[in-house]
Amino acid sequence: MVLYLGIDGGGTGCRAALADRNGQVLGLGTGGPANINTDVEAAAGNIVAAATQALAASGSGAGPADLVAVLGLAGGTMRAATDRLAAILPFARIRIVNDGITAARGALGSDDGILAAMGTGSVFAVQRGGELRQVGGRGFLMGDEGSGAVLGRSLLSQAMRAADGFHPMSPLLAVILEEFGGTEGIIGFGNTARPADFARLAPRIVASDDPAARAILDAAVAGLRAAIATLQDGDSLPVVFTGGLGPHYAARLAGDWPQRPARGSSVDGALAMAMETGALESGSPETGAPETGAPE
Amino acid sequence: MVLYLGIDGGGTGCRAALADRNGQVLGLGTGGPANINTDVEAAAGNIVAAATQALAASGSGAGPADLVAVLGLAGGTMRAATDRLAAILPFARIRIVNDGITAARGALGSDDGILAAMGTGSVFAVQRGGELRQVGGRGFLMGDEGSGAVLGRSLLSQAMRAADGFHPMSPLLAVILEEFGGTEGIIGFGNTARPADFARLAPRIVASDDPAARAILDAAVAGLRAAIATLQDGDSLPVVFTGGLGPHYAARLAGDWPQRPARGSSVDGALAMAMETGALESGSPETGAPETGAPE
C-alpha cells in the first residue's frame, strides 16, 4: 500500500494531510514547530508526530514507510538542513521544498497563475504550464517588500524622521511617537522586536486616512504592481492574493489583472505534489533515495 | 585644583583628554569599550582607566575628584544607563551626552555649522548661536540613511532583486551574487552580519561605475542633500563631512553649500564642553550633582 503525505511546516507548527492514490483524504494531523533553521531534530520529531496522527486517523493500518511525502517548509531551500532532515525522517520517499512552493501549488492548483502572499513577510510565485517559480521573499532585513513587517517598520522610521523635521508630521506619526516614547522608545523597540511585532502596526496603516500611512501604502502598492507586472511578462494570468494584507492589495489592484481566490492551502499543495511525485515514479517507492531542494 | 576631562567612548574603546583652565592639554589616555547599552560597570571601569592614564601623564598630582568631566558616549541618550554610570564614576562633576553631540562640538568648534558624519552609521548636527541640535542617526534598522552599512545592504538587496528579475542585472550585482553564493548566500550573510559587515561593501560601491552602484549612490546623495537643506533652513552654514564616506559626499555636494574640514575630534569636543561646564559653574565643583542627558 502506498499513501501520500503532504506537510506544511514553519516556526509556529506543522500540519499533515494523508490521502490515497485517488486523492481521497484519509486523515489530518498537526504538530509543533518545524523550524529547520534552528533545530532539525525537533522539527523531525514534530513532523513525524503530525504524520502519525494523520495515519492513526486514517484507520488504514499503514505506517511511515508506506508514505510518499512532500514537505513544504520555511527555510526549505537551506540545503544542509534539508539533507539532515531527509536522513532522519522514516518516510519511503521524501521531497522537501520551500513553503512558498507548496503555498503556490495549493493556491493555484495546476493552473497558470501568480501568487502574491502578503502577510508578516511577502513572497511571490508564478506558474506557467506546470512550471512553478518562486521569487521575492528574502526576509525582513533585505526584502519582503509590501509585507506587514516592512510596512510597520516604514511607519516607525517615518515617525522618527518627522520628529527630526525630515518628513512632514502627521496625526498618525504623532500618535506613534507618543505611544512608543519618542525616537528613543522606537529605537529601543527595534532593538528586540521581531518581524511579527512590526507587522502588528500594519492594520493601523491599512485602516488609516493619515497622509503618512497613505504614502507608505501607495508606495507598497506601486512596488507590488511592478513586481506582478514583471511576473506577468506581458500575460494576464489570474492573480491570487493571500495573507493578512492580501484583501487590501487585491482591492487596490482590482483593475490590473484577473483575480481568483486561493484553491487551497500550503498543506493541500504539498499533498498534491506528493501525489504527482508518486505518479511519476512507478518503481518501488522504498528504494528511492530522498530528494530535497526546490524544484527550480 | 580643578582640571577638565573630555571622554569619547563607544563600542570599540574610549579616549580621554585632560586640560587645565587655560585649555592646555596636560595628558591623554585610552581605554577599552565603553558601551553603556551592554555593560555599564565595564564601561565605567574603562573610562576610569583612560582618565587615570591621562592624569598620570599630566604629572599634575590631581585625582579623579578634581575633574570636571564631559563624556560623549554611544547610547548617551539612554537615561537609565547614563544615570547608573554617573553614580559610579568618581569625578567631581559629570555630564554625559550622546557622542554625536561631542563629535559635532569637536568638528564645528563654537561656530555655526552643520556636521554630516557619514561612516558605518550616519548622524547629523546643526549648531546656531551656540545651540547644538543632533538629528538623524537612529540606527541601521530604521535610519542611518546614506551610511556605509545602509549602502551595503542596498547593494545586496538589489542583487537579490536582480536575481529575481525585479531589477536590471548589472556587472557588480552579478559579481556580488557570485561572491556570496546567490540569494541564499546573501540571506545567510544577513542572518549574522553586523552593520560594519555591510559597510565593508561601501568602498566598492563608491569606487564603481556600475549602473546599480551609481543608482544607489545617487539616491543616497539626493537624500543627504535634502537632509542638509532641511537643517540649513534657508541659511548657508558651512558643512563639515566626516567619516569614511565623508570625502565622497563632500565631493558630490561641493556646489551646494560652503564646506569646512573638521576642527577637531569627538574627544576635543568633549574637552571643550567640559571647560564650558566648568566656566559656567563658579561654585565648588565637588558639591554639584551629576548631570546627564543630551543638552537639547
Side-chain angles (χ1 to χ4, degrees):
Chain A
M1 170 170 35
V2 176
L3 296 179
Y4 302 94
L5 179 71
I7 294 274
D8 171 60
T12 57
C14 61
R15 293 182 303 151
L18 185 73
D20 64 19
R21 62 189 301 171
N22 300 314
Q24 178 73 37
V25 174
L26 305 177
L28 303 174
T30 58
N35 190 331
I36 59 173
N37 280 325
T38 55
D39 193 337
V40 169
E41 283 70 23
N46 289 326
I47 288 166
V48 170
T52 302
Q53 203 178 88
L55 282 165
S58 74
S60 63
D66 300 312
L67 302 182
V68 174
V70 168
L71 293 75
L73 302 180
T77 56
M78 309 299 271
R79 188 58 186 266
T82 58
D83 284 352
R84 280 178 54 212
L85 179 65
I88 297 173
L89 292 174
F91 310 134
R93 288 199 63 84
I94 298 160
R95 183 170 170 210
I96 301 172
V97 298
N98 207 357
D99 57 348
I101 296 290
T102 49
R105 186 66 178 75
L108 301 172
S110 53
D111 298 342
D112 287 3
I114 290 171
L115 170 67
M118 310 302 293
T120 297
S122 71
V123 64
F124 307 101
V126 57
Q127 186 164 247
R128 275 190 178 82
E131 285 272 331
L132 187 58
R133 185 166 72 95
Q134 185 198 323
V135 289
R138 305 187 300 267
F140 178 57
L141 183 64
M142 292 185 275
D144 284 9
E145 293 87 349
S147 69
V150 168
L151 294 186
R153 183 180 59 198
S154 296
L155 183 69
L156 295 178
S157 178
Q158 290 297 48
M160 292 193 290
R161 289 176 56 79
D164 275 350
F166 290 145
H167 187 274
M169 185 61 74
S170 77
L172 179 59
L173 296 181
V175 165
I176 292 290
L177 283 165
E178 172 75 21
E179 268 180 35
F180 280 78
T183 292
E184 191 182 324
I186 292 174
I187 292 172
F189 170 82
N191 284 342
T192 58
R194 310 272 311 163
D197 300 321
F198 287 94
R200 265 180 222 114
L201 290 165
R204 294 170 66 179
I205 302 172
V206 170
S208 178
D209 279 336
D210 183 86
R214 292 192 67 94
I216 290 169
L217 272 176
D218 288 351
V221 168
L224 181 54
R225 178 179 281 122
I228 295 174
T230 299
L231 299 177
Q232 291 281 8
D233 196 18
D235 292 341
S236 192
L237 303 179
V239 182
V240 178
F241 293 92
T242 63
L245 291 170
H248 173 78
Y249 286 116
R252 292 289 301 267
L253 297 171
D256 291 65
W257 303 282
Q259 295 185 15
R260 263 211 351 220
R263 286 198 192 282
S265 67
S266 181
V267 69
D268 297 329
L271 183 57
M273 290 173 68
M275 296 186 62
E276 289 160 7
T277 301
L280 287 172
E281 294 151 5
S282 53
S284 158
E286 288 81 1
T287 61
E291 173 196 351
T292 66
E296 306 97 310
Chain B
M1 169 173 34
V2 177
L3 295 179
Y4 302 94
L5 178 71
I7 294 273
D8 171 60
T12 56
C14 61
R15 295 181 302 152
L18 186 71
D20 64 18
R21 61 188 303 170
N22 301 314
Q24 178 73 38
V25 174
L26 305 177
L28 303 173
T30 58
N35 189 333
I36 59 171
N37 281 326
T38 57
D39 193 337
V40 169
E41 283 71 23
N46 289 326
I47 289 165
V48 169
T52 302
Q53 205 177 89
L55 282 165
S58 74
S60 63
D66 300 311
L67 302 181
V68 173
V70 167
L71 293 75
L73 302 179
T77 57
M78 310 298 269
R79 187 60 187 264
T82 58
D83 283 353
R84 281 177 54 211
L85 179 66
I88 298 174
L89 292 175
F91 309 134
R93 289 200 62 85
I94 299 161
R95 182 169 170 212
I96 302 172
V97 300
N98 208 358
D99 56 349
I101 295 289
T102 48
R105 186 65 178 75
L108 300 172
S110 53
D111 297 343
D112 287 3
I114 290 171
L115 170 67
M118 310 301 293
T120 297
S122 70
V123 66
F124 307 101
V126 57
Q127 186 164 249
R128 275 190 177 84
E131 285 272 329
L132 187 58
R133 184 166 71 95
Q134 184 198 323
V135 290
R138 306 186 300 265
F140 178 58
L141 183 64
M142 293 184 275
D144 283 7
E145 293 87 348
S147 69
V150 168
L151 294 184
R153 183 180 59 196
S154 296
L155 184 69
L156 295 178
S157 179
Q158 289 297 46
M160 292 194 290
R161 289 175 55 81
D164 275 349
F166 290 145
H167 187 274
M169 186 61 74
S170 77
L172 180 58
L173 295 181
V175 166
I176 291 291
L177 282 165
E178 173 74 22
E179 268 180 36
F180 280 78
T183 292
E184 191 181 325
I186 292 174
I187 292 173
F189 170 82
N191 284 342
T192 57
R194 310 272 311 162
D197 301 320
F198 287 94
R200 265 179 222 113
L201 291 163
R204 294 170 66 180
I205 301 172
V206 170
S208 178
D209 280 336
D210 184 85
R214 292 192 68 93
I216 289 169
L217 272 176
D218 288 350
V221 168
L224 181 53
R225 179 179 281 122
I228 295 174
T230 298
L231 298 177
Q232 291 281 8
D233 195 19
D235 290 341
S236 193
L237 304 179
V239 181
V240 178
F241 293 91
T242 63
L245 291 170
H248 172 78
Y249 286 117
R252 291 290 300 269
L253 297 172
D256 290 65
W257 303 282
Q259 294 186 15
R260 264 211 352 219
R263 286 199 192 280
S265 67
S266 181
V267 69
D268 297 329
L271 183 56
M273 290 174 67
M275 296 188 62
E276 289 159 6
T277 301
L280 288 171
E281 294 151 4
S282 54
S284 158
E286 286 82 2
T287 61
E291 173 197 353
T292 65
E296 310 96 306

